[in-house]
């Protein structure tokens, strides 16, 4: 999927249109349910919830595998995750390498552009610190931002389009009144003209 199609997909999901309403509803439900489980005093953290889900999944797959071996059935389909793990490891390694080289260049002022780089990094870190201080409960802030991103644009577009539809209906009604008035005047003038023609023998 190229960038243009990915952008169209994201816009369709955010605005709940072109058959993407199911994806939007699923994303909104996942956001709200994860906020209830993780953020609103559900007693879970992301680590404890993921470990419980993985433990349950592992137990089900283990029992399925043992039952399949006893009943001479095929084992459960478990995908090979090694290529994904290798790709994630290389991506993480390159990101950490870039981060450490940037940190070293800024800290040691190796090149002439390190002053500008230091200013950019300092501004980014200061902005992150200020935003973190403003949002005392960062997970709740992130959940609220996700819910707002999935609801506000769609509601705005729907209200915006309905307002324009009302304006279009009002304009159409005005044009219809003008047309009725014009056609009535034409009818009256034609009638009067015919009456005058019939009066002159």
């Amino acid at each position: 999927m190229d960038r243009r199609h990915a952008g169209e997909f994201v816009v369709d999901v955010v605005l709940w249109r072109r058959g993407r309403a199911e994806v939007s509803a699923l994303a909104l439900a996942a956001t709200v349910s994860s906020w209830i489980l993780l953020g609103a005093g559900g007693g879970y953290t992301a680590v404890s919830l993921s470990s419980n889900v993985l433990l349950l999944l592992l137990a089900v797959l283990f029992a399925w595998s043992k039952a399949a071996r006893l009943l001479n059935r095929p084992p459960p389909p478990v995908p090979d995750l090694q290529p994904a793990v290798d790709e994630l490891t290389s991506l993480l390694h390159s990101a950490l390498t870039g981060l450490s080289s940037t940190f070293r260049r800024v800290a040691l002022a190796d090149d002439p552009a390190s002053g500008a780089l230091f200013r950019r990094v300092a501004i980014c870190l200061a902005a992150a610190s200020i935003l973190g201080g403003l949002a005392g409960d960062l997970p709740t802030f992130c959940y609220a931002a996700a819910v707002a991103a999935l609801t506000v644009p769609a509601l705005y577009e729907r209200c915006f389009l309905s307002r324009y539809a009302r304006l279009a209906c009002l304009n159409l009604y005005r044009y219809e009144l003008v047309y009725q008035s014009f056609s009535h005047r034409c009818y009256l003038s034609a009638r009067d003209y015919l009456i005058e023609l019939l009066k002159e023998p």
Side-chain angles (χ1 to χ4, degrees), residues 124-139 141:
C124 290
L125 290 176
S129 174
I130 290 170
L131 288 176
L134 290 177
D137 190 13
L138 189 60
F141 177 75

Side-chain angles (χ1 to χ4, degrees), residues 28-194:
L28 185 62
T31 302
V32 170
S33 60
S34 65
W35 178 71
I36 290 171
L37 283 174
L38 302 175
Y44 290 105
T45 62
V47 174
S48 65
L49 183 66
S50 59
S51 65
N52 285 339
V53 167
L54 285 174
L55 180 64
L56 179 65
L57 179 66
L58 190 63
V60 167
L61 287 175
F62 181 77
W64 186 356
S65 175
K66 288 293 187 183
R69 190 172 294 147
L70 287 174
L71 298 173
N72 290 330
R73 299 278 183 208
V78 178
D80 184 19
L81 299 177
Q82 189 62 39
V85 169
D86 291 341
E87 185 176 335
L88 183 64
T89 303
S90 65
L91 183 66
L92 187 62
H93 181 267
S94 65
L96 286 176
T97 303
L99 185 65
S100 66
S101 68
T102 303
F103 182 78
R104 180 176 177 81
R105 280 179 27 219
V106 169
L108 296 179
D110 282 344
D111 56 359
S114 61
L117 187 61
F118 172 75
R119 282 191 293 275
R120 278 186 281 171
V121 170
I123 288 171
C124 290
L125 290 176
S129 174
I130 290 170
L131 288 176
L134 290 177
D137 190 13
L138 189 60
T140 303
F141 177 75
C142 292
Y143 289 127
V147 169
L150 286 170
T151 54
V152 171
L155 291 175
Y156 176 75
E157 185 189 36
R158 192 161 292 169
C159 294
F160 194 65
L161 288 178
S162 66
R163 190 180 78 165
Y164 273 108
R166 282 196 303 270
L167 286 175
C169 287
L170 184 62
N171 285 335
L172 188 63
Y173 180 67
R174 287 178 185 165
Y175 291 139
E176 187 178 351
L177 287 178
V178 168
Y179 174 73
Q180 284 178 353
S181 171
F182 177 72
S183 63
H184 186 66
R185 270 188 274 145
C186 288
Y187 167 74
L188 290 178
S189 63
R191 185 194 66 181
D192 293 342
Y193 179 70
L194 283 175

